[in-house]
Amino acid sequence: VFNYMYYDCAYIRGQEIKEYYSHTRPNGKDWLTVLFDNGFSHPKFAGENIQSGANFDGYWANYLFMQSPGHKANMLDKDYTSVSLRIYIDETPDEFGQHHYYFVENFYG
């Protein structure tokens, strides 16, 4: 089920991975603390997939996630009952004129 409650948190994570590409936030905390910082409690289960790339779409991002055993395991884990997906687009092109996309999938159970 799509999780609208955490939708903005996934967007914040997209902005953060542009700055610091990691499951650790730029402030040094675990990615899951984005929920606590926005007034939510700790879910029983949680996982995160992140990815970035220039000029590619959600279809390609999903394909790449499915090629990675860890990412695929998150996507298919029966303990996760909801997901929030966001794509953060860097509107400033790089030196090659390409825009970078930051894909976030947050899973909860």
Side-chain angles (χ1 to χ4, degrees), residues 72-106:
K72 183 177 181 177
N74 270 345
M75 295 170 76
L76 301 177
D77 190 318
K78 64 178 177 53
D79 290 325
Y80 297 139
T81 56
S82 68
V83 62
S84 289
L85 310 168
R86 290 299 293 260
I87 302 170
Y88 176 75
I89 302 169
D90 185 354
E91 296 294 335
T92 306
D94 64 15
E95 64 271 18
F96 305 106
Q98 298 179 321
H99 294 277
H100 285 260
Y101 297 75
Y102 300 87
F103 299 87
V104 176
E105 296 179 335
N106 292 143

